Amino acid sequence: MSASSPLTVPDDSPFGVHNLPYGVFTTADRPEQRRIGVAIGDHVLDAGAAARALGESGFPALDASSLNPLLAAGRPVWTAVRAALTRWLTDESLRGAVEPCLVPRAEAVLHLPFEVADYVDFYASEHHATNLGRIFRPGSEPLTPNWKHLPIGYHGRSGTIVVSGTPIIRPSGQRKAPADAVPDFGPSRRLDIEAELGFVVGTPSELGSPVALADAAEHVFGVCLVNDWSARDLQAWEYVPLGPFLGKSFATSVSPWIVPLDALAQARTTPPERDVEPLPYLDDRDAAEPSGFDIAFEVRLNGHTVSRPPFAAMYWTYAQMLAHLTANGASLRTGDLFASGTISGPERETRGALIELTWNGQEPLKLADGSERTFLDDGDEVVITATAPGPNGTRVGFGEVAGRITPRPAG
Ligand code: MN
């Protein structure tokens, strides 16, 4: 044992032992071998290798090449695995066996950590929905009549969910400004971001059996960061009457680390007061524990911070989203992902999309390097990060979801 052990993690690390997010990684010497990793300080623990080194045979899901078997195993297993990992990483008598299973985080290549089943994206920020209503429907009520009665969502495209760092090819599609007589076809001129939180479903549910609010934590394993790239010109022309389609489906980026719900106990917070009484299946006013989360987001464009969206301001909670998603009897599958929708707070500098930050392009953002943006240029890089309160003054880190815009290849 030495003071310089990689397991001596500073208290202010976003990846302290209070967090323990799960990912899937490879290393340069074994590029074909995807392994389950757990972030700890500046390292990644090869979780399957650690179990073998310690003679722990009770966690076969840690030997998989994706998180799906662990997701499917259910909450009692999630609790047992987390307790075991905590023991392996904190019991100094185990260090001799555990330290060889650590890989410096900088040397780990991180992959999409689970096979995404269905993907649903919600619209749960009142501030975001209000801003978009004002932009797209000036002169009318900004919120649609249904907005405070149900968490609005749409089904997205799970097959184009990509891990952080994957280049984002500028989508092409039909574009038609209101003044144009007919649409034309070409690269989006209004490529945008949406800073969101994603919820990863582990335990499936039965067809025909809605998931009650109180059971949300039995089904949701953890959370990740999401950037729901959005081509606003494609979206504006196509979305009436059936909602988002090709303006969203070209790519959605997620962070490589799945932070377990168990790491967010100190981040739970009461959501904003409901000024419309929810129907009983969405009524969380006497819930045993609040389902809001105090998570502070930061959005950087080419290294400049352009927004700090607060997840605590979200009107609808993840439990309400899940209850609504299954209210008609639709079943859940292991690997389902549902995202919150753009996170925007009440102040301008807390808006989670460029369309709001620039008010539909009318008020360009001035970056610290003197450049201006309305929407994204080719070469632009967007990095979204977040932290939440952990125990005893610590912070829970989520890592980042990053993506750089590349032009569509010629030909
Ligand atoms: Mn979205």
Side-chain angles (χ1 to χ4, degrees), residues 73 88 97 118 121 126 138 153 311 315 369:
W88 302 347
D118 287 299
D121 193 24
E126 180 176 1
F311 192 80
Y315 188 90
D369 64 2

Side-chain angles (χ1 to χ4, degrees), residues 63-305:
D63 272 323
S65 57
S66 91
L67 295 180
N68 286 59
L70 178 61
L71 299 179
R75 181 148 292 282
V77 172
W78 307 338
T79 301
V81 168
R82 184 168 169 82
L85 287 166
T86 303
R87 182 161 45 82
W88 302 347
L89 293 168
T90 55
D91 184 338
E92 295 195 0
S93 72
L94 303 180
R95 283 191 172 181
V98 172
E99 284 182 359
C101 305
L102 295 169
V103 174
R105 202 138 49 84
E107 294 174 17
V109 177
L110 297 167
H111 302 274
L112 191 64
F114 63 103
E115 293 137 34
V116 184
D118 287 299
Y119 167 49
V120 169
D121 193 24
F122 283 94
Y123 194 51
S125 162
E126 180 176 1
H127 304 291
H128 173 71
T130 301
N131 286 333
L132 288 203
R134 289 191 175 125
I135 289 170
F136 286 124
R137 296 182 299 278
S140 60
E141 275 298 312
L143 291 182
T144 51
N146 55 1
W147 201 90
K148 290 205 168 169
H149 293 279
L150 55 84
I152 294 173
Y154 68 92
H155 278 275
R157 189 168 188 84
S158 54
T160 51
I161 291 177
V162 297
V163 74
S164 175
T166 304
I168 302 302
I169 299 170
R170 180 177 295 273
S172 285
Q174 287 200 18
R175 309 165 301 187
K176 192 187 94 59
D180 299 339
V182 292
D184 68 352
F185 188 94
S188 171
R189 300 185 184 102
R190 297 162 71 81
L191 185 53
D192 199 353
I193 61 163
E194 294 192 339
E196 308 192 13
L197 189 67
F199 297 89
V200 180
V201 171
T203 311
S205 68
E206 292 289 328
L207 191 64
S209 297
V211 174
L213 284 177
D215 294 332
E218 293 302 311
H219 293 274
V220 172
F221 173 81
V223 306
C224 60
L225 308 180
V226 175
N227 187 346
D228 176 24
W229 306 97
S230 299
R232 301 298 183 193
D233 39 3
L234 278 55
Q235 183 184 355
W237 171 230
E238 75 179 1
Y239 89 106
V240 178
L242 289 185
F245 188 33
L246 303 182
K248 301 270 196 179
S249 63
F250 55 94
T252 306
S253 298
V254 296
S255 58
W257 295 113
I258 309 301
V259 173
L261 219 51
D262 287 336
L264 297 174
Q266 284 77 18
R268 285 193 180 251
T269 186
T270 304
E273 196 171 334
R274 282 74 173 75
D275 42 18
V276 171
E277 186 171 336
L279 285 169
Y281 79 98
L282 293 172
D283 190 351
D284 64 352
R285 289 173 296 179
D286 59 355
E289 62 176 348
S291 289
F293 291 106
D294 175 16
I295 303 175
F297 277 67
E298 183 173 335
V299 180
R300 296 198 301 273
L301 170 54
N302 296 338
H304 308 288
T305 299

